Amino acid sequence: MLLVGVLLHYLFPLLSLPEKRAGFFDDGGLSLLKSFPLVSLVPVKAIQPSLHDNTADLDRLKSALTESLPEQLRRCSCSIRIPFACMAKIAASFRAAGFAGYAVVQYEYDRLVLVDFVAEQPELLPALALDLGSTHLEATLLDLLTDKALARNAALNRQVSHGADILSRMHFAERKKGGGNEREGEGLAVLQDAVIASINELLDELCRETGVRPEDVQAVSVSGNTTMVHLLLGLSPRHICREPYIPLVNAPDPFLAREIGLKLHKQARVWVLPGRGSYFGGDLISGILATGLDQTEKICMLIDVGTNAEVVMGNNEWLIACAGAAGPALEGGVARMGMRAAAGAVEHVAIDRENWQLSWRSIGGGPPLGLCGSGLIDLVAELYLARIVDLRGKFQAAFPGQSAEHKRFVEERLLELDGEQVFQVVVAGEAGNKEPVVLSQLDLDAMMRSKAAMYAILVTLIGQVGVEFSDLHRISVAGAFGKHINPRQAITLGMLPDLPLSTFEPVGNSSLRGAEMILLDHAAFERSQEIARKITYIELNVNQEFMIRFSGSRFIPHTDPGLFPSVSSFR
């Protein structure tokens, strides 16, 4: 048994953000150092050069900037660097401004990088926070002077045309230009170009909405899973999916955005949130930041379902995590009529078991196009409670004691389509694409595997530290899955533990929120590094306990119904 709780860790609390600031300063003063962003604006006023003071312009600027910094930074002798590419422009701007104005500086661990100088305070200091999803990208354009979100938008990740899922993209990345194995992978370059083009297009759209020029965007933070980060950086993901499942990098150092083709400010840096393993990336570190899981005294859990199901548990003393392939069916990516939680997706299904009528609700209220993860969970749970699906996850048309009304409902909905048995959720005339929205037995089988994997992941994780589900103070459920899911229905299926519904908290896109947080506060980035170091990661690919628990979870709600006392059991 892994005694994670006895590990010694440090806690880096996130400092509160001021309402408004001019970079490092609180209302322009030099009092106490509060949180400051990764790129900041510092007011500088230097002594004019003279025959009695022949200090060079850039040296004069550094000295004046040092004097303008908060006392804490001056006391720790925080060094200042001016990149060679910026020297001429900064020197000219500093002299033209009469040796007074505003320095644009980037925080870089134990030093500051001076990247620009302006005579007047600009209206905005824009930066981009990016959730690097495998199917969609979502980004926020922030103003670092006020901490305000200027715009938020999403776009399709162009990589989907080269592989709908992560594994197929890994294989695509290994395609070669020539026949020899020594040749560089052409597929990897294609995938990198695709995602870079997607980001630039999304940035252009955000800039059009706000009137900001892309070249004025000062930084970008990126939160994504380990494979997506590798593809963004042009690093081979080959070893991520091969034992012993070791990525090339977990915590990339900041680098210039232009080095990978991002069209931002010439000195804009890319800050990538660190990961912890092949299947535990910066998107989950972001989730920990956003939920404050690493700062709570009580034991809490975070679940993020996307391409994989990623789970972390702990408090301010310890963190343990694992990930597994429970995501695609829950996202709706495996089901015949599956789709992501977007406009037109059926997100809620209910069966009136007294009058035997079915109702549904789609995201956006328009004609339905398919089923997203929450709709799939609702549907299968309702079918189980209506005894149309048995405990093995198989359709059943009849059973002893069935009423005539019930039988008619089943006959109207349980049909043969293209040679297979399907349950019709939405008739063709009401569907957006004029084809019925249905659930097939193959869809059910995929759903049963995913729900079993989800519960097995959770049980395996808590088993590592010897706690019970009842010890959990809060379970945060992230992403679109968490936003739309009905925990009661997930409990019915045996996907989530049978706990009071108040235990479950939807937290939205925590990956994007974490990316926003590190831009707005350098301490949050440092905290993300510490979180990555303190997490104990369990590799489920070689975990025998997980496989045993997975097998036991492939029933509704479970082979042991005593684990789900609130769920009706039909045996």
Side-chain angles (χ1 to χ4, degrees):
M1 189 68 65
L2 184 62
L3 299 177
V4 180
V6 301
L7 299 178
L8 297 178
H9 299 294
Y10 297 98
L11 181 63
F12 280 79
L14 180 62
L15 300 175
S16 59
L17 296 172
E19 291 295 323
K20 188 172 181 179
R21 61 189 173 208
F24 292 109
F25 298 92
D26 184 15
D27 298 326
L30 283 172
S31 55
L32 294 176
L33 174 64
K34 295 191 176 182
S35 60
F36 55 89
L38 292 179
V39 182
S40 194
L41 200 66
V42 182
V44 173
K45 186 174 183 180
I47 298 174
Q48 294 275 348
S50 67
L51 291 175
H52 304 289
D53 181 2
N54 63 352
T55 305
D57 286 2
L58 292 182
D59 295 334
R60 185 181 302 275
L61 174 55
K62 283 186 177 182
S63 177
L65 176 57
T66 299
E67 291 301 314
S68 298
L69 293 175
E71 182 183 351
Q72 289 90 332
L73 284 179
R74 282 186 279 129
R75 193 165 52 236
C76 68
S77 301
C78 186
S79 65
I80 298 171
R81 180 177 72 88
I82 303 177
F84 172 74
C86 302
M87 285 184 180
K89 182 177 183 300
I90 289 176
S93 298
F94 183 49
R95 180 169 282 271
F99 304 96
Y102 295 83
V104 180
V105 294
Q106 299 175 352
Y107 172 79
E108 193 178 87
Y109 301 118
D110 60 345
R111 65 181 179 181
L112 300 177
V113 181
L114 176 56
V115 297
D116 206 351
F117 190 88
V118 293
E120 302 292 334
Q121 178 173 329
E123 293 184 2
L124 301 170
L125 194 64
L128 185 73
L130 176 68
D131 171 27
L132 185 66
S134 58
T135 305
H136 288 87
L137 310 175
E138 188 171 355
T140 304
L141 191 63
L142 295 164
D143 175 22
L144 301 184
L145 296 182
T146 61
D147 301 344
K148 292 181 179 178
L150 303 174
R152 180 172 294 153
N153 213 327
L156 184 70
N157 185 340
R158 286 188 178 188
Q159 290 180 341
V160 296
S161 61
H162 307 294
D165 56 77
I166 290 293
L167 189 58
S168 60
R169 287 183 216 175
M170 288 180 173
H171 294 318
F172 185 88
E174 294 187 35
R175 293 189 180 184
K176 306 294 181 180
K177 290 181 180 177
N181 290 333
E182 74 283 359
R183 303 295 296 272
E184 186 69 23
E186 180 184 22
L188 180 59
V190 169
L191 290 172
Q192 184 184 30
D193 290 345
V195 72
I196 293 297
S198 301
I199 297 170
N200 283 329
E201 287 180 2
L202 181 54
L203 173 64
D204 286 341
E205 177 60 31
L206 290 167
C207 288
R208 279 193 295 270
E209 291 179 32
T210 58
V212 171
R213 300 188 308 167
E215 58 268 29
D216 290 335
V217 177
Q218 298 287 335
V220 56
S221 59
V222 178
S223 173
N225 68 50
T226 305
T227 300
M228 289 305 304
V229 167
H230 276 58
L231 298 179
L232 173 69
L233 303 187
L235 302 176
S236 172
R238 173 182 175 81
H239 301 290
I240 291 177
C241 61
R242 291 173 170 85
E243 194 172 341
Y245 314 107
I246 306 299
L248 295 186
V249 63
N250 275 325
D253 291 321
F255 58 91
L256 293 176
R258 57 187 169 87
E259 292 182 285
I260 59 172
L262 292 178
K263 298 177 181 179
L264 286 73
H265 187 281
K266 289 183 178 179
Q267 290 299 314
R269 277 176 167 72
V270 179
W271 298 78
V272 180
L273 278 120
R276 184 61 181 83
S278 291
Y279 299 102
F280 190 103
D283 49 351
L284 200 56
I285 299 293
S286 281
I288 296 171
L289 280 174
T291 59
L293 181 61
D294 62 312
Q295 296 182 326
T296 179
E297 293 183 2
K298 297 180 180 179
I299 301 175
C300 296
M301 179 180 283
L302 170 66
I303 300 173
D304 191 354
V305 177
T307 303
N308 294 302
E310 299 161 327
V311 185
V312 60
M313 179 179 67
N315 56 19
N316 58 5
E317 294 183 353
W318 56 271
L319 293 169
I320 186 170
C322 63
L330 303 186
E331 280 194 310
V334 172
R336 171 177 176 165
M337 302 296 296
M339 61 182 290
R340 291 178 63 87
V346 174
E347 64 171 337
H348 173 69
V349 178
I351 296 176
D352 180 346
R353 295 191 292 277
E354 291 185 2
N355 301 306
W356 291 108
Q357 294 180 341
L358 182 144
S359 61
W360 50 263
R361 183 179 69 235
S362 66
I363 297 175
L369 302 170
L371 291 158
C372 67
S374 61
L376 185 61
I377 291 169
D378 264 12
L379 175 59
V380 178
E382 288 290 286
L383 291 176
Y384 170 73
L385 294 174
R387 304 192 70 177
I388 300 170
V389 165
D390 66 15
L391 61 90
R392 302 169 302 153
K394 304 297 182 184
F395 284 127
Q396 58 179 9
F399 55 86
Q402 186 179 27
S403 68
E405 293 83 1
H406 188 180
K407 189 172 183 179
R408 279 196 298 270
F409 176 81
V410 175
E411 289 174 349
E412 291 173 359
R413 297 279 180 171
L414 202 55
L415 311 171
E416 287 287 331
L417 183 64
D418 298 333
E420 65 176 333
Q421 194 175 37
V422 301
F423 182 87
Q424 183 172 250
V425 184
V426 183
V427 298
E430 297 178 352
N433 52 14
K434 303 307 177 184
E435 293 184 4
V437 177
V438 300
L439 178 77
S440 72
Q441 185 60 60
L442 289 177
D443 300 335
L444 263 176
D445 294 341
M447 177 64 193
M448 292 297 290
R449 290 192 296 271
S450 287
K451 83 95 185 173
M454 183 78 257
Y455 189 72
I457 290 169
L458 301 181
V459 176
T460 301
L461 189 62
I462 67 167
Q464 295 295 314
V465 289
V467 302
E468 303 292 337
F469 283 126
S470 58
D471 295 323
L472 297 178
H473 173 68
R474 183 184 71 242
I475 298 179
S476 300
V477 189
F481 176 75
K483 180 180 179 181
H484 297 280
I485 189 178
N486 181 340
R488 177 65 261 167
Q489 300 291 54
I491 291 170
T492 297
L493 291 181
M495 177 184 299
L496 295 178
D498 199 346
L499 294 171
L501 297 184
S502 59
T503 307
F504 301 94
E505 175 191 44
V507 293
N509 191 342
S510 59
S511 176
L512 181 59
R513 179 56 188 148
E516 293 169 352
M517 288 174 66
I518 71 163
L519 285 176
L520 296 173
D521 186 358
H522 80 290
F525 183 76
E526 294 174 347
R527 186 176 140 208
S528 74
Q529 303 284 322
E530 178 62 19
I531 289 171
R533 285 190 292 267
K534 73 189 285 188
I535 288 176
T536 299
Y537 179 67
I538 307 300
E539 183 58 71
L540 292 182
N541 288 324
V542 292
N543 191 294
Q544 292 301 314
E545 291 183 21
F546 168 75
M547 296 308 299
I548 294 171
R549 287 164 175 153
F550 172 72
S551 298
S553 301
R554 293 184 66 175
F555 292 83
I556 302 176
H558 196 273
T559 51
D560 180 4
L563 296 173
F564 295 86
S566 71
V567 180
S568 299
S569 182
F570 305 109
R571 295 179 184 264

